[in-house]
Amino acid sequence: MQSNARIVIVGGGIMGASLLYHLALEGCTDTLLIEKDELTSGSTWHAAGQCPSITGSYNLAKIHAYSNRLYPTLEAKTGQYVSWHPCGGLRLATNEHELAWMKYIYGYSKSIGFDMEIVGLDAIKRLNPFLTTDGVIAAAWTTGDGHGDPSGLCNALAKGARDLGSTVVRHNRVLDIKQRGGEWEVITEQGTVIAEIVVNAAGCYAREVAAMVGGDAPITNMQHHYVVTHPLKAFIDRSEEIPVMRDSYTSGYFRQEQKSGLIGIYESTGLREAWAPEGFPDWEASNELFPDDLERIAPWLERAIERMPIFGEVGIRRVINGAIPHTPDGAPLLGPAANLRNFWMCCGTSFGIAQGGGCGKYLAQWMLHGDAEINMAEFDPRRFGKFADKAYVRDKVFLDYRLTFTTRLPGEEELAGRPQKTSPLYEKLRAQGCVHTETFGWERPKWFSPDGRVENYSYRRNNVFEIVRAEVAAVAERVGVLDLTGFAKYDISGAGAEGYLNRICANHVPRKVGGIALVHTLSPQGRILGEMTVTRLGQDRFYALSAAAAELRDLDLLSQGVRPDDAVQIDNVTETRGVLVISGPRSRELLSSLTDADLGNGAFRWLTAREIQVAGIPLRALRVSYVGELGWELHPEVDALPALYDAVWEAGRNFGIANYGLYAVNSMRMEKGYKAWSSELTNELDMLEADMARFIDFDKGDFIGKAATQARAPRPLKIVYAQIDASDTDVRGGEPVLAAERCIGVATSGAYGHRVHKSLAFACVPFEFAAPGTSFEVLLQGERRRATVLATPAYDPDNLRMRV
Ligand SMILES: Cc1cc2nc3c(=O)[nH]c(=O)nc-3n(C[C@H](O)[C@H](O)[C@H](O)COP(=O)(O)OP(=O)(O)OC[C@H]3O[C@@H](n4cnc5c(N)ncnc54)[C@H](O)[C@@H]3O)c2cc1C
């Protein structure tokens, strides 16, 4: 075996093979894929091979769509048989919620460009004449998907890569991986390879391979069954193949396998089985299958036979019970591992055949060019941290598996594995009706139920709408309080801190002590990586805040941006500082009653910060607002949070204080036209496309991404802010933007603005549609709704309410 390679990929399943192929297509063949057994001998070997176009995430759907474009062409490209069956897919809707979900996905099928129709019972029966349609109200018909032979697909990708010059070594287990200087030493049964970059594509073993470098891969390997029947006369007599069927009533899928039936079940109640949940799967395991447990899946098999009575005419010929790696949120792990330079993850996929093609393509782009062309934030392995311990991962994964065929509605969150990280105010707020939402393991207030009501989840405005309106009104008219302790927080200090920050951020960090600036980190290509609020606390002391979900990602950006000669220290203080946000026109009066500090406009201006005491508690007070009202963020030591909250609440009674949550925040930030990281501010766009040019300081000297931003030709795309003529449903992100019959862009996020009584959205559109006053349409729940580009924020465009 060779002793050097630029990139070593550990694992030769579909994920590793696809990455190898796409690295080669991008021009990098100094690569070595190492597989402990034969290619495909992990999960890939026993997959059912289905590749649906439909998935509940807009970005993941782009990954699926690419795989479905690639696979039908692979045989011709590589000469390797892949047995692609372009039979399409039919997903049944049995209630209005499932139909609403399909309408949402139908919307983004237009912006992504895969074929999808929502069809009625006649069409369903025509496409699958053997189906009993009891309880079915419609179906999603996707013509571009099908199924292939997973081994064939994996081998074709590997062959394609080898044909381009990449190398594959089989029957060679990676035993250990060590850091040596700036390189990796990959120790294998056949010797040691020195690599610049290592990729973990070890499927069910990803956790063990990550552990070799002191990292983690939050996966649990689930056992999943499918059965194959004896041949069926009905299929033998028919030349046409039925589509791959997916059905929540069956909690599974069924299709034709040659002339037999194939039925796969995701048992949705009762016991589920994980493979080696506590420890190592056996390294020797290969083509591993588990004993059948037909009893476990029997209730759903019976339902499959109810749906397809012909399946009951013959017996079962073959049972497959194999392992699938699952992550807590069901999305793959694609991207850099936390706190490790040049160690990447390409694993954690539970639909690896459907996703393998796209995962390989977009990860290869990210690895080689610094950015992928699609938004990768929701796949970044650093969305999980230490909170994702084995118990959390197992509980979440069991839930994810159970809900595979259940449609989750917007806002719907289950309690499995929670709470994992709480602020000291958690119980206090719950006692007041707080409904929390989970971000990066943190429980954060979403809304407050004043009367014990439970959210009636829906794609349409629901029974929480009026409560959010009341929370917004409290903030706009009086004063509101919000616990945002989950914010990522870093202390950055040292004589070189200012120069270092100015080098890694596009904007100038504050020049004066007490100043606050919004800054962005960019890739060398000028695309947006992160957004932070930086406060200058002293000559050599800065305090940076970023999104809760970006804690590890931004910590990597910050720490990996330090040069050996930088006199800089970075401390992650996320868990040692709390954040209490006080917003509203009466916030000054309230806080002034608790502090000797002068909070008047002369002494404490908007966008400045000071270290003061409130209720006798020392804290950092930042006069900033994401909701567009007068207000302060108070950042005390985390242990002081309960005392601070109690004092604020007590004093606030005189001012009509109310709790508010993140639903209300989203409504108000949309009214202010504030873009959000990972919705508008993504690796797909540069600062000019995101309409963030005012946050770049080209005059301050060099910074990462400067040259690329300056060199880019005028961009064809732009993020615009628009008012939508909506009825009872608002933009969530992913909806197509239409001009006549043409799909010209995509909505990135939105909400109803309760202070301005308008439905608002951001959208990414071609430049010629960006001028204020321009109209286009957004498809919302199947209805075309007029959108008009706004010139200024819908609420208080001159920021008068924050400056008072
Ligand atoms: C019954 C069943 C049906 C399924 N049906 C579908 C389906 O219809 N559609 C779909 O999209 N998905 C399906 N899946 C899921 C799919 O199989 C997996 O998501 C996918 O195969 C994962 O691919 P992978 O490359 O990540 O992992 P794997 O295929 O497991 O590949 C990982 C490889 O890494 C190797 N490896 C591990 N450690 C080392 C080491 N230390 N040194 C060297 N090599 C190492 C392993 O030997 C293995 O070959 C199904 C799964 C099962 C069990």
Side-chain angles (χ1 to χ4, degrees):
M1 190 187 55
Q2 67 200 70
S3 57
N4 281 278
R6 180 171 176 220
I7 302 176
V8 166
I9 300 172
V10 185
I14 192 129
M15 293 286 276
S18 175
L19 179 62
L20 189 76
Y21 177 63
H22 287 95
L23 287 169
L25 287 184
E26 296 283 342
C28 178
T29 51
D30 185 3
T31 50
L32 173 64
L33 183 151
I34 305 178
E35 164 56 47
K36 72 181 175 64
D37 202 282
E38 284 294 343
L39 294 177
T40 89
S41 61
S43 287
T44 300
W45 168 74
H46 47 239
Q50 286 113 211
C51 299
S53 300
I54 288 191
T55 176
S57 142
Y58 170 67
N59 293 305
L60 204 50
K62 289 184 177 173
I63 286 182
H64 283 238
Y66 173 75
S67 298
N68 285 338
R69 288 198 302 275
L70 172 72
Y71 294 161
T73 66
L74 266 184
E75 203 163 306
K77 283 179 179 148
T78 64
Q80 161 72 41
Y81 179 65
V82 303
S83 189
W84 180 252
H85 289 244
C87 57
L90 260 188
R91 170 130 182 181
L92 305 178
T94 57
N95 57 49
E96 288 301 328
H97 285 325
E98 286 180 333
L99 187 54
W101 178 76
M102 284 175 190
K103 286 182 181 168
Y104 176 63
I105 294 172
Y106 172 77
Y108 61 65
S109 74
K110 299 294 149 232
S111 39
I112 295 173
F114 63 87
D115 275 339
M116 173 173 171
E117 281 175 60
I118 297 182
V119 295
L121 295 189
D122 288 347
I124 297 171
K125 287 209 162 111
R126 204 169 48 246
L127 290 161
N128 181 355
F130 310 108
L131 191 77
T132 310
T133 52
D134 293 352
V136 176
I137 58 172
W141 166 226
T142 43
T143 53
D145 60 52
H147 59 96
D149 167 27
S151 299
L153 289 166
C154 183
N155 277 305
L157 290 162
K159 176 157 190 306
R162 275 191 305 242
D163 291 348
L164 290 165
S166 316
T167 308
V168 174
V169 172
R170 293 169 301 142
H171 302 287
N172 183 25
R173 178 151 66 87
V174 171
L175 305 169
D176 204 355
I177 305 169
K178 292 191 171 141
Q179 219 151 8
R180 201 181 68 172
E183 295 175 321
W184 294 104
E185 216 175 60
V186 184
I187 301 152
T188 79
E189 289 171 335
Q190 293 178 23
T192 294
V193 190
I194 304 299
E196 179 192 331
I197 298 170
V198 173
V199 185
N200 180 353
C204 288
Y205 296 88
R207 195 160 216 161
E208 284 66 43
V209 170
M212 292 176 186
V213 292
D216 192 21
I219 58 165
T220 291
N221 300 313
M222 296 301 294
Q223 292 190 21
H224 169 64
H225 283 82
Y226 69 81
V227 302
V228 180
T229 69
H230 286 287
L232 287 154
K233 180 163 182 331
F235 290 163
I236 292 168
D237 292 346
R238 194 168 185 259
S239 57
E240 214 178 320
E241 181 176 343
I242 62 165
V244 179
M245 306 294 302
R246 296 181 180 84
D247 175 29
S248 60
Y249 178 67
T250 308
S251 196
Y253 51 86
F254 42 89
R255 65 167 170 87
Q256 226 174 295
E257 169 70 5
Q258 306 297 342
K259 296 299 176 186
S260 300
L262 183 153
I263 309 163
I265 299 298
Y266 284 85
E267 51 277 27
S268 57
T269 56
L271 273 179
R272 283 152 299 281
E273 286 292 330
W275 183 34
E278 299 304 336
F280 262 94
D282 179 358
W283 278 121
E284 302 310 316
S286 158
N287 298 350
E288 184 80 1
L289 287 178
F290 310 110
D292 313 343
D293 187 356
L294 286 180
E295 214 171 301
R296 200 165 90 218
I297 60 168
W300 294 276
L301 276 182
E302 282 166 19
R303 288 180 172 205
I305 293 169
E306 267 179 61
R307 279 275 186 250
M308 291 281 284
I310 55 168
F311 286 160
E313 293 169 7
V314 290
I316 291 173
R317 181 160 58 104
R318 190 156 50 99
V319 182
I320 300 284
N321 180 15
I324 312 186
H326 275 250
T327 59
D329 59 7
L333 302 171
L334 292 180
N339 199 23
L340 290 168
R341 218 186 265 266
N342 290 335
F343 192 91
W344 293 72
M345 308 286 271
C346 180
C347 49
T349 168
S350 49
F351 289 96
I353 312 307
Q355 293 167 2
C359 288
K361 175 183 171 83
Y362 298 116
L363 186 62
Q365 290 179 344
W366 190 357
M367 289 174 65
L368 295 179
H369 311 310
D371 304 296
E373 67 191 65
I374 69 167
N375 181 355
M376 299 291 274
E378 69 187 88
F379 316 124
D380 191 324
R382 296 166 295 182
R383 69 191 187 273
F384 298 110
K386 286 204 170 59
F387 69 91
D389 59 20
K390 279 191 175 152
Y392 173 92
V393 175
R394 184 199 56 225
D395 289 357
K396 287 280 191 204
V397 162
F398 278 15
L399 179 81
D400 184 62
Y401 182 88
R402 179 161 66 76
L403 296 181
T404 298
F405 279 90
T406 305
T407 304
R408 271 177 268 192
L409 292 164
E412 197 169 2
E413 293 177 61
E414 290 79 11
L415 294 178
R418 297 170 58 184
Q420 196 67 0
K421 287 199 282 183
T422 55
S423 112
L425 299 182
Y426 178 69
E427 292 298 347
K428 213 179 262 288
L429 298 182
R430 263 167 64 90
Q432 297 181 74
C434 183
V435 178
H436 287 88
T437 181
E438 189 191 12
T439 312
F440 195 63
W442 285 103
E443 296 292 333
R444 312 203 305 162
K446 185 156 70 167
W447 62 285
F448 286 77
S449 179
D451 49 11
R453 82 178 66 182
V454 172
E455 183 170 0
N456 189 4
Y457 301 107
S458 170
Y459 276 92
R460 303 200 178 262
R461 295 175 195 157
N462 61 10
N463 61 340
V464 168
F465 187 74
E466 63 192 22
I467 289 174
V468 175
R469 181 169 54 206
E471 290 181 10
V472 169
V475 173
E477 293 160 17
R478 307 185 312 269
V479 57
V481 57
L482 168 67
D483 173 14
L484 271 190
T485 295
F487 259 148
K489 315 173 200 78
Y490 317 93
D491 278 343
I492 301 167
S493 55
E498 181 176 6
Y500 148 81
L501 281 169
N502 275 332
R503 194 178 69 233
I504 65 163
C505 302
N507 204 354
H508 206 297
V509 293
R511 291 174 174 86
K512 289 190 191 152
V513 172
I516 299 177
L518 189 66
V519 304
H520 299 84
T521 42
L522 310 182
S523 71
Q525 291 67 32
R527 310 267 200 103
I528 300 169
L529 296 181
E531 182 180 59
M532 292 188 292
T533 304
V534 173
T535 300
R536 187 163 200 158
L537 294 173
Q539 200 46 41
D540 297 340
R541 266 193 328 130
F542 294 86
Y543 181 48
L545 301 167
S546 75
E551 181 184 328
L552 294 183
R553 204 184 137 102
D554 283 344
L555 185 60
D556 275 353
L557 274 171
L558 288 168
S559 47
Q560 292 178 8
V562 176
R563 291 180 186 157
D565 56 344
D566 282 333
V568 177
Q569 181 169 336
I570 297 159
D571 295 304
N572 182 358
V573 295
T574 301
E575 296 193 7
T576 55
R577 284 212 172 258
V579 181
L580 202 63
V581 185
I582 319 289
S583 321
R586 306 207 68 182
S587 54
R588 177 179 287 127
E589 289 167 88
L590 189 169
L591 288 176
S592 293
S593 74
L594 294 171
T595 182
D596 293 336
D598 183 353
L599 302 184
N601 230 356
F604 204 143
R605 279 183 309 106
W606 180 47
L607 295 182
T608 64
R610 287 167 56 196
E611 292 177 278
I612 61 172
Q613 292 202 353
V614 174
I617 297 164
L619 47 79
R620 297 170 180 176
L622 278 60
R623 193 175 158 194
V624 287
S625 172
Y626 197 49
V627 298
E629 302 292 348
L630 174 69
W632 279 263
E633 279 182 10
L634 307 179
H635 296 236
E637 294 291 333
V638 73
D639 295 342
L641 208 53
L644 180 66
Y645 179 85
D646 288 347
V648 166
W649 189 262
E650 205 42 50
R653 287 181 196 278
N654 293 332
F655 304 100
I657 193 165
N659 290 301
Y660 68 105
L662 291 170
Y663 276 164
V665 171
N666 194 38
S667 164
M668 292 186 273
R669 73 107 189 163
M670 283 305 307
E671 291 174 305
K672 288 300 295 171
Y674 293 152
K675 299 173 186 107
W677 174 76
S678 97
S679 300
E680 288 75 40
L681 308 177
T682 79
N683 61 277
E684 298 156 286
L685 300 177
D686 65 25
M687 292 286 279
L688 307 181
E689 291 161 329
D691 197 17
M692 298 293 279
R694 65 191 180 283
F695 296 104
I696 311 177
D697 183 348
F698 283 120
D699 299 329
K700 69 174 177 173
D702 201 15
F703 60 86
I704 297 170
K706 177 178 179 180
T709 308
Q710 283 177 320
R712 288 183 84 155
R715 305 297 302 161
L717 293 174
K718 195 169 176 200
I719 295 278
V720 295
Y721 176 62
Q723 175 181 338
I724 316 291
D725 293 348
S727 56
D728 64 346
T729 179
D730 303 294
V731 163
R732 311 182 173 279
E735 295 84 355
V737 174
L738 307 169
E741 293 316 306
R742 207 158 52 94
C743 178
I744 56 159
V746 64
T748 51
S749 70
Y752 184 80
H754 287 278
R755 291 174 297 193
V756 298
H757 310 290
K758 286 177 183 160
S759 185
L760 299 162
F762 285 109
C764 188
V765 296
F767 212 80
E768 62 267 29
F769 289 89
T774 308
S775 280
F776 42 76
E777 288 176 313
V778 176
L779 196 63
L780 279 179
Q781 281 294 298
E783 294 169 21
R784 299 173 79 112
R785 294 284 164 185
R786 190 179 183 78
T788 309
V789 177
L790 299 176
T792 57
Y795 184 71
D796 186 24
D798 297 321
N799 298 325
L800 301 177
R801 295 181 69 88
M802 291 191 287
R803 290 175 198 273
V804 287

